[in-house]
Amino acid sequence: MKIWLNILITLGLLNSCSTGNHSTNQVTHPDLLKSRRPTSEKTFTRAGLDGWLSPENNSQLWGQYCLGDPTDPAIIPQPNYENYFIKTWVVPKLLQVGEKSFYLSSDVLKVYGLRDPNTQNKKMLSPVYREKIPQGLSLTHNAFLVYLCGEFRDRATLIEEKLRWLARLHKLPMTEQQADIDVRVSPFSQLSAKKYFDYLSLSTAVFNNRKQLIQATSVDLGDGHKIDPATPAFTVCDVKFMMSQYIAKNKSYDANFETDLLGWSQQIAPDGQPHCQQEDVDYVYDFRGDSNFKPNSPESNAMLWAGDTMAKVCATPVTTKDPAVVSDEDCRHYFSHPFEERWGKARQGLMSWLYYPDQYEGKFGYTKSLVVLYPNDPKAKDKNSPLPYGFQLSNGTVLSEYSTQMLSAQAKDPDLLKRGDLGFNTVFELNGVPGNTWKAYNRIRQLVDRHTDWYQSGYDDQRGKQMTQAYSPFVASSYELSKSDAFIACGYTIQCYPGSDTRRQWMFVFKIKKTTGTAPKM
């Protein structure tokens, strides 16, 4: 059987909105792998994102995992294979990733000198670094780490966290399901591939039952508008109960599930503590299925395409291909701050989706109507512009108009767009004014609908990258596993054809605290 050989679940820590909790001291496996370390270092907020380190601390942390100079993009970074954590924990897990699983942008590879200049094959890697690679690692494995060191040089906390989730990569074993589930260890690291479908069925049944129980209720948004309530996500406690009391015992869903869950959660485990501790109740699971493995996971297309745009027009991190398109300084600036630039471009795209003028609601709100964003519209050069991206509607009109509400709010607060929420609550005056809550909800719903049905959401960087669909500042995930499972088998994102690979691909497992604004664990 080969069905399950490629089911891979990462159980590390990843957060594109990291709070930067870390220590710049060298650490070994137990400290680095188990939990985020406390820190007394001061962090900063930029581009609406918390957790930026000072340049000195960022360089120090970057230097643990990468060789070169994070402040000078002219120096192509290299992985620090002598680092204990990389050598002992990352490299062995990286070797479990098959060559065909990787997705590395050919333009980014070219900029970092990783593509072979002697062939037209954009996927052919240059052998120039072969002598620097530890035995057993391929050029692709090395390119993954070079890519990571370069594209996150300005946010070294993410390099560390991505190495941590790589070290926690787990391939579901083709063995019998273990009967004893350790409730102090991640339940997904104890799941057998043979019981994966059983877990999907149980998860779906529990979710559907909970959804049915709350259908009789509604949420009042005021001014006569009511919406269905959200079905709660599974807590860590829920999943540990499902895994230990149902999957490990070969039980199917039954009517006693919720009652038994409540009793079991309070029972005492062998370590003398309740089965479910406070963190198990405070955190819920979220999942993202993906067909490939890349350093950028889980960035949105808005971030990925912004990086591709610059990599396509720059010959190296500090030189341009064509001065008429971008300057050497433009290339140097981007590759000195690649993560911040990608993050900022996604926020600019979100502003365009969020704050378009009301008269275009019929176009933006209808997902079958084409909306193309122009990230290099002249107004985009002003990062404080309330609507920095131009956009084109299906009638061919190119616009760069601003929401009256946005202009009014920004006039009162010039720093509005520097906030993490882009000033959304202020712009929509969510202060008890009748009807405003519904209007704000409706605008967010339109954004989510356009992401979900993104086949008329385009992107044109006016530098050669034109996409008629699939643009979005968001990245999809689900809090019920079977929904994300559809993206790791042939279907939505993986081609189905006779003789095609039937193995599951990549599932990213997140833990997110119930309170808003908290960095997710992964």
Side-chain angles (χ1 to χ4, degrees):
M1 294 178 65
K2 70 172 185 176
I3 294 178
W4 297 106
L5 296 183
N6 204 35
I7 297 179
L8 296 145
I9 296 183
T10 59
L11 296 168
L13 289 164
L14 174 64
N15 173 26
S16 292
C17 309
S18 164
T19 57
N21 293 337
H22 78 287
S23 168
T24 53
N25 296 323
Q26 180 74 29
V27 294
T28 54
H29 161 61
D31 295 319
L32 188 59
L33 200 58
K34 284 186 177 179
S35 63
R36 311 182 80 181
R37 286 108 62 204
T39 178
S40 59
E41 293 172 330
K42 183 178 180 180
T43 59
F44 305 89
T45 299
R46 294 205 307 269
L49 185 60
D50 295 333
W52 295 94
L53 301 179
S54 68
E56 296 78 13
N57 287 339
N58 186 76
S59 292
Q60 185 179 354
L61 181 62
W62 187 91
Q64 288 189 30
Y65 306 110
C66 308
L67 303 176
D69 183 350
T71 66
D72 185 1
I75 302 174
I76 302 300
Q78 298 298 316
N80 181 9
Y81 287 116
E82 293 304 311
N83 173 272
Y84 172 82
F85 185 66
I86 291 180
K87 180 167 55 178
T88 308
W89 296 99
V90 174
V91 167
K93 289 300 180 75
L94 200 57
L95 287 170
Q96 295 184 29
V97 184
E99 294 275 323
K100 68 177 183 179
S101 282
F102 287 101
Y103 176 80
L104 304 173
S105 165
S106 61
D107 289 313
V108 175
L109 291 175
K110 175 263 303 175
V111 166
Y112 287 111
L114 294 166
R115 247 173 53 189
D116 190 340
N118 299 315
T119 176
Q120 295 299 312
N121 185 346
K122 293 184 176 181
K123 298 298 182 181
M124 186 66 69
L125 297 177
S126 171
V128 67
Y129 298 119
R130 168 54 67 190
E131 70 278 4
K132 300 180 181 180
I133 303 173
Q135 186 175 4
L137 285 185
S138 69
L139 291 171
T140 304
H141 294 130
N142 181 69
F144 177 93
L145 294 175
V146 173
Y147 199 123
L148 181 64
C149 287
E151 290 297 276
F152 296 89
R153 64 169 65 242
D154 56 329
R155 184 105 174 164
T157 51
L158 274 177
I159 295 175
E160 182 176 74
E161 291 184 4
K162 286 169 183 286
L163 291 173
R164 289 165 71 181
W165 63 248
L166 182 56
R168 290 190 177 190
L169 181 152
H170 176 67
K171 180 180 288 188
L172 300 192
M174 279 296 298
T175 58
E176 296 302 321
Q177 176 64 49
Q178 65 187 66
D180 297 323
I181 300 295
D182 185 347
V183 296
R184 300 296 174 247
V185 178
S186 170
F188 291 104
S189 67
Q190 303 175 77
L191 176 64
S192 165
K194 292 184 176 182
K195 300 297 287 185
Y196 179 74
F197 275 140
D198 290 349
Y199 180 80
L200 290 184
S201 297
L202 177 62
S203 173
T204 301
V206 174
F207 181 83
N208 287 342
N209 181 67
R210 290 180 173 180
K211 182 178 180 180
Q212 185 176 9
L213 290 175
I214 66 170
Q215 280 184 338
T217 63
S218 62
V219 177
D220 189 349
L221 297 184
D223 204 24
H225 297 288
K226 294 184 178 181
I227 60 172
D228 295 333
T231 304
F234 292 142
T235 65
V236 175
C237 180
D238 291 338
V239 175
K240 288 181 176 180
F241 173 71
M242 293 160 67
M243 206 77 76
S244 64
Q245 302 303 302
Y246 279 76
I247 299 304
K249 295 183 178 181
N250 294 312
K251 288 178 60 178
S252 299
Y253 177 76
D254 56 49
N256 297 322
F257 179 89
E258 299 294 346
T259 302
D260 290 348
L261 166 61
L262 181 61
W264 176 86
S265 67
Q266 299 171 355
Q267 291 173 3
I268 302 301
D271 63 0
Q273 300 295 318
H275 283 131
C276 290
Q277 298 181 333
Q278 191 60 47
E279 182 171 313
D280 297 330
V281 177
D282 290 343
Y283 280 83
V284 297
Y285 278 117
D286 193 48
F287 309 93
R288 172 166 173 76
D290 208 336
S291 60
N292 56 53
F293 193 86
K294 52 186 174 288
N296 302 83
S297 295
E299 291 184 11
S300 67
N301 281 354
M303 293 185 71
L304 294 173
W305 295 357
D308 287 344
T309 284
M310 290 304 297
K312 187 180 290 291
V313 297
C314 295
T316 74
V318 294
T319 57
T320 180
K321 282 184 177 179
D322 183 353
V325 179
V326 295
S327 67
D328 290 347
E329 183 53 38
D330 289 332
C331 293
R332 177 179 285 276
H333 176 78
Y334 171 81
F335 285 101
S336 294
H337 315 278
F339 177 77
E340 183 178 4
E341 286 291 303
R342 293 195 306 278
W343 174 263
K345 291 295 186 183
R347 279 169 57 86
Q348 288 178 291
L350 178 58
M351 289 179 216
S352 298
W353 276 22
L354 197 60
Y355 294 136
Y356 64 81
D358 290 346
Q359 62 264 37
Y360 303 117
E361 186 168 6
K363 296 291 185 181
F364 270 87
Y366 178 52
T367 60
K368 305 301 182 185
S369 177
L370 179 65
V371 175
V372 179
L373 293 190
Y374 289 82
N376 293 304
D377 182 83
K379 292 185 175 61
K381 293 184 181 299
D382 178 7
K383 291 188 177 181
N384 291 316
S385 171
L387 188 60
Y389 281 6
F391 57 90
Q392 180 179 3
L393 302 179
S394 55
N395 61 6
T397 305
V398 178
L399 305 160
S400 291
E401 298 188 27
Y402 309 151
S403 160
T404 301
Q405 283 179 294
M406 162 56 89
L407 289 172
S408 176
Q410 195 188 41
K412 300 175 183 176
D413 183 359
D415 292 331
L416 198 70
L417 296 176
K418 295 179 181 179
R419 298 181 191 167
D421 68 349
L422 294 174
F424 183 80
N425 289 355
T426 302
V427 172
F428 280 88
E429 298 179 328
L430 297 181
N431 53 5
V433 178
N436 282 9
T437 301
W438 167 252
K439 187 173 182 179
Y441 167 82
N442 200 43
R443 185 59 62 95
I444 292 175
R445 182 177 65 177
Q446 289 175 3
L447 268 60
V448 174
D449 287 347
R450 182 159 283 278
H451 168 88
T452 304
D453 186 12
W454 62 3
Y455 300 104
Q456 293 294 319
S457 295
Y459 174 89
D460 184 352
D461 66 6
Q462 298 170 295
R463 295 171 178 172
K465 188 175 183 66
Q466 295 178 313
M467 304 293 289
T468 59
Q469 61 183 33
Y471 176 85
S472 176
F474 301 132
V475 64
S477 63
S478 64
Y479 55 82
E480 199 280 294
L481 183 59
S482 67
K483 304 302 181 184
S484 287
D485 176 75
F487 289 85
I488 63 173
C490 69
Y492 291 129
T493 59
I494 303 172
Q495 290 185 340
C496 298
Y497 52 87
S500 62
D501 191 345
T502 58
R503 296 174 292 188
R504 260 38 179 197
Q505 303 299 317
W506 297 91
M507 185 68 74
F508 295 91
V509 181
F510 301 83
K511 283 169 59 179
I512 302 176
K513 199 167 187 180
K514 289 179 183 178
T515 54
T516 58
T518 302
K521 293 183 178 182
M522 174 174 157

